Amino acid sequence: MPSRSNGLAAEMEAVRTLALVGAAASGKTSLAESLLHKAGAIAACGSIERGSTVSDHDPLERRMLHSLNASVMHLTHGGTRIHLIDTPGGPDLLGQSLPALEAVETVAVVINAATGIEPMAVRMMDYAASRRLARMIVVNKIDAQGVSLAGLLADIQATFGRECLPLNVPDGVGRQVIDCFFNRFGRSDFGPVEAAHRALVEQVVEVDAAFVERYLEEGDMDPAELHAPLEQALREGHLIPVCFVSSRSGAGVAELLDVIVKLLPDPTEGNPPAFILGEGAQARPMQALPDPSLHVLAHVFKVTIDPYVGKMGIFRVHQGTLTRDSQLYIGDGRKPFKVGHLFMLQGKDHVEVSRAVPGDIVAVAKVDEIHFDAVLHDAAEDSHVHLAPLPFPVPVYGLAVEPKRHGDEQRAWEILGKLAAEDPCLRIEHVAATNETVLYGLGELHLRIVLERLREVYRFEVLTRPPRIAYRESVTAPAEGHHRHKKQSGGAGQFAEVFLRIEPLARGAGFEFADEVRGGAIPGQFIPAVEKGVREVLAYGAIAGYPVVDVRVVVYDGKHHSVDSKDIAFATAGRKAFMAAIREARPVVLEPIVHIEIAVPEHAVGDVTSDLSSRRGLVTGTSGLGAGTVAIGGQVPEVELASYQSRLNAMTSGQGRYTMALSHYEAVPPAVQKTLMGEYRGHDED
């Protein structure tokens, strides 16, 4: 660890980083306002209703009265610089909230005292634990009418463990809080403060045998001596502090600032981030040292792209000291960029700074090559360093999009690409099977916000619809087809006659074409034209308008004319002979069957499996994932999963998530096939 006599090291140790996470409407944004105001960073608290908060500065956020993006702020309290990240609370917006975990030592899960523990709080607590971050719980709105804070604390301990202990306790029915770590005297709404103090001290000293022995001998210990074991307890998850506040009245806000400064880990005290050196099988863990004298390592956890301002990369410095005019490489890029301006963010405002040390969260603008998850460095040996990837949920909720104005396809792709660059849970894909551009997100709200941004920020209009299901057609029996094409309209005519037979192939075998014509009945130069006609049917279908697969076609006879036979005639004859054969070969429409993996709370397993069966699905197995979560595996027709995330949210109180991948194709039920065939208008055969 760097010497504390070093000026930059002392500056680094006076840095704290904190992400506010949790369910929507838990009060994260208003809490951030109260912290900024109490520390003197802003003159007065803004209002969500008036759209005047520091963090919710996006016009769409102001209109919807909800955080939609992670917002970075900073403040100073007690000589310590605190970097604060306010994150959105909707499960559809995890692409914004999860990356904030990569930039902080401590995650504060905010819980609304009036609504209690919600699924998003549980989910974010699990994510923070998986990244080995220090965790704390902030109970907000403690002055709400009719709440039982003692009952809520019991619920917190039942849900997250007995290691959740209050650092302060409410008093006066939520009008104030009393410290119970440094103080052991007095009474509170929870009873004697000494009981809460003793529970805290005993929990902290348990991590160190020497402190346990002293505690048993002396009966109590000076909390000022417990800094090292306290930080160890936070690192190991042996202690999850609970603090009580009211962002509306200000109760507990000053005390929370003191907790952040005095008790939460600085960059030298948190668990090191999970950096990896190398790729693939050769990759090995490496440690970034929070030492301002070493070469620079920083991680880009957020990118914003404004059509007027350009691209901005927001990153956390993990090692080294960054200054204006520094030369930085992006990942394995060979050409460095010069840091012309270095900013700390205060919501939408950019505050220029001269340097950043480990722990600082800063930004650079107008660097086109910068991208989400990039590692910035100033040493050649770090060109293959990256951070272990976060387990982002896979976006499976899709919408097909196309520009409202013909000819804007390229611009649409470019703009959607910019939006995807800002959000790791947004994916754009051109689906060749249906010739559609599909936007995939985490749910209906997620994509609705993306489309709103498309309209409001980029002034670009698109048409949307549910993605087409990539049905296929095939045959289930051998058959023969024949067509004689003769056309005479003055001058040279057209003539061709084709006999062919078809037979089904195994699923996934594709298409085979064979020429078994003997005696020159069809001259060899016309066989490719016959195949061309057959392939046209393969492309546009025969009975319902979907591509034909898994069929073998054998051309075995025909006739030609020395003058009137030509390629176009044999292509037409081949196409119509193939169509005739398919109609006699018991044709079927095939639908994609996907393999689905659903993670749900234990109590929802029965509802989810029953619902899956009602969707023509087959449950293939279940397995425990720990922490009260079960994985359900199954196979289900893709068409049955339209709007499935909304249904899953309803069954699991927003805790369910799923991924899917194509498994195989199967014939649709007869009633579905009849409907699809009835909707088919047919292809222009001429």
Side-chain angles (χ1 to χ4, degrees), residues 554-572:
V554 179
V555 180
Y556 65 89
D557 201 0
K559 291 182 181 179
H560 74 285
H561 188 277
S562 59
V563 175
D564 291 342
S565 288
K566 45 184 68 77
D567 284 347
I568 189 171
F570 274 101
T572 301

Side-chain angles (χ1 to χ4, degrees), residues 386-403:
H386 52 277
L387 208 57
L390 272 167
F392 286 108
V394 178
V396 292
Y397 184 89
L399 270 182
V401 297
E402 61 178 284

Side-chain angles (χ1 to χ4, degrees), residues 397-405 416 436-439 444 447-452 454-455 460-468:
Y397 184 89
L399 270 182
V401 297
E402 61 178 284
K404 204 168 186 179
R405 195 171 62 182
L416 290 171
E436 291 178 316
T437 297
V438 181
L439 199 59
E444 182 182 357
L447 293 192
R448 181 154 56 87
I449 291 167
V450 170
L451 295 174
E452 287 284 337
L454 199 63
R455 281 189 290 269
F460 193 81
E461 296 282 343
V462 294
L463 303 174
T464 65
R465 62 175 180 274
R468 297 189 189 103

Side-chain angles (χ1 to χ4, degrees), residues 177-202:
V177 302
I178 299 175
D179 167 64
C180 56
F181 182 68
F182 295 101
N183 166 61
R184 63 174 178 171
F185 302 106
R187 292 189 63 82
S188 71
D189 292 344
F190 290 177
V193 172
E194 185 173 6
H197 171 81
R198 185 173 297 278
L200 260 178
V201 172
E202 289 177 355

